[in-house]
Amino acid sequence: MSDSTNAINAFAVRLAAIQARIDIACRRAGRSSADVALLPVSKTFGTELIRDAAACGLRRFGESRMQEVREKAGQLTDCPVDWVVIGHLQTNKAKDAAALAAEVQSLDRLDLAQALDRRLSAEGRVLDVLVQVKTSDEPSKFGLDGAALPDFLRTLAADYPSLRVRGLMTLAVNSDDEQAVRACFRRLRTLRDAARADGLVADAWRTAGDQGGLDRLSMGMSGDFELAIEEGSTEVRIGSALFGARDYSAT
Ligand SMILES: *Cc1c(COP(=O)(O)O)cnc(C)c1O
């Protein structure tokens, strides 16, 4: 076998192991595996690994920095990839995001919504977004304050028609305390349910098969995705457990 076939097979084994863990967590929670998507997070990993992953059927990849998306997209023009922005997005990068991202999960403030909407409407494009909500007290985490979510959704619905809000995203507290981690995930789900009950879901945000709008809850990473699935995650963002340990010095 060639080296690249070996690399693809090695990735397929890791992917199957993660999928098996997702399946087990779903079964434990009485949920269907079809209701929990895997978002592979490729930040800091090279395009060879992304090619291996694409050869295994993956197409959406989570990235944190627009600069990195730009570089990787330039190297992968022959490989269909949908870039999903999951990291803090500076307002001055809205133009890049509007041009290159298939989706933004880290929408957390109005000046960013405005900048994205302006760029998107210039391109005649509608972008799927998730609103990132802060569900822990950790000072370093980005995200909208949960109490501000209703007004934020009202403004998005009224003023930014190029953004289609599909759900919410969060990072749980980084802690060994399982209950504290679960509480973050539960908070996100509760906020979503309240937004639905309060009629804050614009008709334009709904897609076929949605239950009540804002269906998507992007929560859970390598260290906590099984808990997130038990708390209602529809999408787990997994980097290191799939691709290996990250080396930030290389980026
Ligand atoms: C890096 C990152 C992930 C993936 O982290 P792992 O622990 O490697 O799975 C998920 N979500 C966000 C927002 C990230 O920045």
Side-chain angles (χ1 to χ4, degrees), residues 27-207:
R27 209 166 309 143
R28 198 163 49 227
R31 305 182 59 201
S32 162
S33 299
D35 295 336
V36 181
L38 166 65
L39 178 66
V41 175
S42 51
K43 68 183 185 204
T44 76
F45 298 106
T47 47
E48 284 314 309
L49 264 176
I50 294 176
R51 285 182 190 279
D52 295 341
C56 295
L58 299 177
R59 179 170 179 130
R60 303 171 75 234
F61 292 90
E63 288 281 344
S64 285
R65 295 165 51 241
M66 284 318 303
Q67 173 67 21
E68 196 170 333
V69 171
R70 180 172 284 289
E71 286 168 15
K72 287 177 173 173
Q75 294 167 22
L76 289 167
T77 49
D78 58 328
C79 178
V81 168
D82 291 337
W83 301 108
V84 178
V85 176
I86 60 172
H88 179 65
L89 186 55
Q90 291 171 280
T91 306
N92 65 9
K93 297 284 170 21
K95 183 182 178 185
D96 278 351
L100 294 169
E103 175 176 309
V104 170
Q105 297 200 348
S106 46
L107 179 64
D108 62 355
R109 58 196 196 280
L110 282 179
D111 71 330
L112 177 60
Q114 182 176 38
L116 282 171
D117 186 77
R118 187 181 300 149
R119 286 291 170 186
L120 290 161
S121 63
E123 299 188 19
R125 204 181 148 214
V126 171
L127 184 72
D128 280 355
V129 296
L130 305 183
V131 176
Q132 181 176 354
V133 179
K134 198 164 142 58
T135 53
S136 78
D137 294 331
E138 285 179 299
S140 64
K141 295 267 174 9
F142 293 103
L144 188 77
D145 198 69
L149 183 65
D151 278 344
F152 191 70
L153 292 175
R154 274 188 204 100
T155 305
L156 290 177
D159 297 340
Y160 303 115
S162 300
L163 302 176
R164 184 164 67 168
V165 187
R166 304 292 314 282
L168 306 179
M169 183 271 246
T170 200
L171 284 91
V173 62
N174 184 6
S175 165
D176 292 333
D177 178 354
E178 194 176 297
Q179 289 312 317
V181 172
R182 278 185 193 277
C184 295
F185 296 142
R186 215 169 286 156
R187 208 164 287 144
L188 194 72
R189 183 179 184 159
T190 302
L191 284 165
R192 190 276 310 277
D193 292 348
R196 274 183 180 168
D198 293 344
L200 299 176
V201 183
D203 286 340
W205 298 347
R206 296 175 201 266
T207 65

Side-chain angles (χ1 to χ4, degrees), residues 41 43 64 86 169 171 221-223 237-241 246 248:
V41 175
K43 68 183 185 204
S64 285
I86 60 172
M169 183 271 246
L171 284 91
M221 327 200 317
S222 289
R237 308 179 305 268
I238 300 186
S240 46
R246 265 191 300 277
Y248 285 98

